[in-house]
Amino acid sequence: MRLYPIRVSRRMADLLLNRNEIPSIFLMIGVLVVVSALNVSNANAQTKNLDAVEVSALVELVSADKSKKIEVESHSWNVPLDTTFQTFMGNFSLQLKATKIDSNRVRLTAFLATVGKRPDSHTKRFTMELGLPARMKNIRGKDGASYILTLTPNKFSELGEDYCEFNHWDSSSFRYDPTANFDLHYVPKTLGDFHWNNMKEILEGSYRRFKKAMNLNMPGKMSYYLYPCASPSIGWDSRFGYSIDPTRDVIISIYSHSFVSVSPILANMTRLMRSTGHSPPFLVEGIAGLQNFPEYETLEALRNEELIPITEILTTKGYYSADPVLSVSQAGSFCRYLTDSLSFGKLRRWYVASDDLNIQSKFEEIFGMPIAEVEENWINYLSELWPPKSDFVNRSITEGATLHTELALDLLLTMLKRDQTLADSLRSYFEVAPRYSELGKYKEARRAYKTLFDNAKEGSSQRSSYLHRYADLSKHVGEFDIARESFEKLKEIDTNRRNAADLNLAILDMIEGDTAGAIVSFGNLLKRKVGPIIKLEALLYRATALSVCKDYADRDKARELFSEAKGVANYLAQSAPDNPLHMMRLGLASMGAEDYLSAEQSLELALFLEFRTSFIGRELIALGNLADLKGERAKALEFYRQAKERDNSILTQRSADKYITNSYQFVAK
């Protein structure tokens, strides 16, 4: 989903059918194993079928003089029986509760509340036969217009065994952490529990900018719920997988490995409608997203001659029928053009005055120009637009924070292609290089860091940092000689990185078969005063060498080192429990100490929290090693195969091939 900045996922329809979408690491990698580390065996899915009733909903808008009636939107949901169901459609938040009377009848309670400064609420209780509609009329619209909601229970159904049971009406399901403008709610031991803090600044920053631009002065906080799966108690937006309730300042998104619909723009939409009332989604989503670089997709569509005529997406029905990414991007870009080139005051007046009956005529009345003429001017404006680098960078940061790393990289690469000076390119490479690395694009990342190093100021800390990354990436692409030369050079130009360089030189010794030299080097490092991470890595590597290398095996000494490593790893993990590297190292230490239960819990949690390809490979290899030690060879082989598929690092590939051929075992000596 890309509702600025959400990426559209074509999996949304499948997601809504597959209710059990809690983020399990083994769903992510395709291995069906219970995730004991997360202790969610019965936290996400019921093991019995849940009864529901399929309900169709139609919203129509009637003009004040009753001469016009148009369809605004329609949906169909499987509403769980005896459970509060919530959604938003038309100009109102809607709650339904259905109770089965007999095989052909249902009792349906519907409550709706419109948004805006003068809310209108309606409650109806219907006893209905299947297939027969019931209506709620005279729902207040603008300028005397009114909405009609038609509800039709079609048939009873079952949601299947693996449905997502969470419901934010049940406060016991969620915990929350407060920020300045939000209460961020999450289900304990799901991805939102560990990562809510990653999104905090993005949500706050976006809303503060929007609040200032719109001159909003609204008290209270918004409640942002991070669901781990698609609960059937929510009527999800079928394009992007979110739900909002502006009447209660509630935002609901899915946040899992398989699907993310978190976006700061949802907060803008919620507060825009709560403060100013409803308008067609072209204006709601366009104004809410105009500060978030909507031109990115719009410019691409312009180049490909794929722009949708504006008049085709002004109404709700037309907007929802069009390509979702393009309709949202065009709405935002068009609203931004109106703000920059004409008048934000007029844009706001257009929003306040418009509904699906009059949105085009109100535009021409307020702006005093035919919309076709303004659209042509907008396209000409786009043809000459050269967005600043900050637009690409800021949007990329937002996409990265909401786990859309491929899109984050695409934005930066587009920016890089547009650079016309070396200074501009270097600023782009500074942003691009870490994204390449995160996604396991090692060769590209290595080239980027080499460019940055070659052009960095002599003696600067940045130059040392670039060389360090270049050297490390050289290991991953199999350029071991260059890696060794680079780490030696790193010691020369930056004494502060001497210990890190020596650690990596010892690792290279192990990779290239000099186990005896590596064991000595790791031991020498441990005699120095080094930081906890370098100490921990040295302990783990030395202990591993003493455990698996036949010629140098000393399991008693290895156990001692692993035990010490476990203490350091515990300290680091407690200081940053959402850091997957700390959890991975704790898992490796526990495995070496033969505490296999703790090792499994830590390694599974590390993989659950990890999104960087470069570390996923190492975590999968570690889980395979653990399975081998436990005598679970089939499971180990699956982990090794997954590592080969997920991470193309030479180090990961060599390790996986090695352990596919021969199982990982400690040498008994």
Side-chain angles (χ1 to χ4, degrees), residues 436-617:
Y436 270 142
S437 184
E438 287 174 6
L439 291 168
K441 299 179 184 293
Y442 302 111
K443 292 180 180 178
E444 295 89 341
R446 182 171 175 260
R447 284 196 295 267
Y449 279 113
K450 182 65 163 59
T451 301
L452 289 166
F453 171 73
D454 289 343
N455 290 276
K457 184 179 178 181
E458 291 279 348
S460 67
S461 60
Q462 277 192 327
R463 188 167 186 262
S464 301
S465 174
Y466 299 150
L467 180 59
H468 194 162
R469 295 297 299 126
Y470 172 74
D472 187 62
L473 289 160
S474 294
K475 288 191 307 182
H476 286 285
V477 300
E479 295 284 358
F480 301 134
D481 289 343
I482 293 176
R484 190 177 294 278
E485 292 171 8
S486 300
F487 281 121
E488 291 288 2
K489 186 171 184 177
L490 181 62
K491 290 166 61 176
E492 295 174 11
I493 68 173
D494 190 345
T495 57
N496 291 327
R497 293 179 184 265
R498 176 191 167 205
N499 292 330
D502 281 339
L503 173 68
N504 279 281
L505 288 168
I507 292 170
L508 282 166
D509 287 340
M510 280 195 70
I511 291 171
E512 297 185 293
D514 184 6
T515 305
I519 290 172
V520 171
S521 296
F522 291 130
N524 290 335
L525 263 175
L526 292 171
K527 295 175 184 177
R528 300 181 196 168
K529 186 177 181 180
V530 297
I533 292 177
I534 291 177
K535 179 180 180 179
L536 177 55
E537 288 282 283
L539 285 167
L540 290 172
Y541 274 104
R542 188 163 193 255
T544 299
L546 294 172
S547 294
V548 301
C549 298
K550 185 176 181 180
D551 294 337
Y552 309 99
D554 186 344
R555 273 296 287 157
D556 289 339
K557 180 62 176 178
R559 288 188 186 94
E560 179 185 325
L561 294 171
F562 277 126
S563 178
E564 185 179 356
K566 192 174 179 182
V568 179
N570 259 317
Y571 165 77
L572 292 171
Q574 288 173 11
S575 65
D578 59 344
N579 187 322
L581 287 184
H582 294 342
M583 287 297 168
M584 179 186 72
R585 292 170 179 134
L586 179 58
L588 290 171
S590 299
M591 179 168 63
E594 299 180 38
D595 182 358
Y596 294 156
L597 177 60
S598 295
E600 186 172 38
Q601 291 173 343
S602 297
L603 291 173
E604 286 179 343
L605 182 54
L607 187 56
F608 178 76
L609 295 173
E610 188 60 80
F611 290 91
R612 296 164 296 182
T613 300
S614 53
F615 295 110
I616 287 173

Side-chain angles (χ1 to χ4, degrees), residues 22 106 162 187 219 271 299 373 418:
I22 196 162
V106 63
D162 295 326
V187 176
R271 280 293 168 91
L299 288 169
E373 180 181 339
R418 296 161 58 89

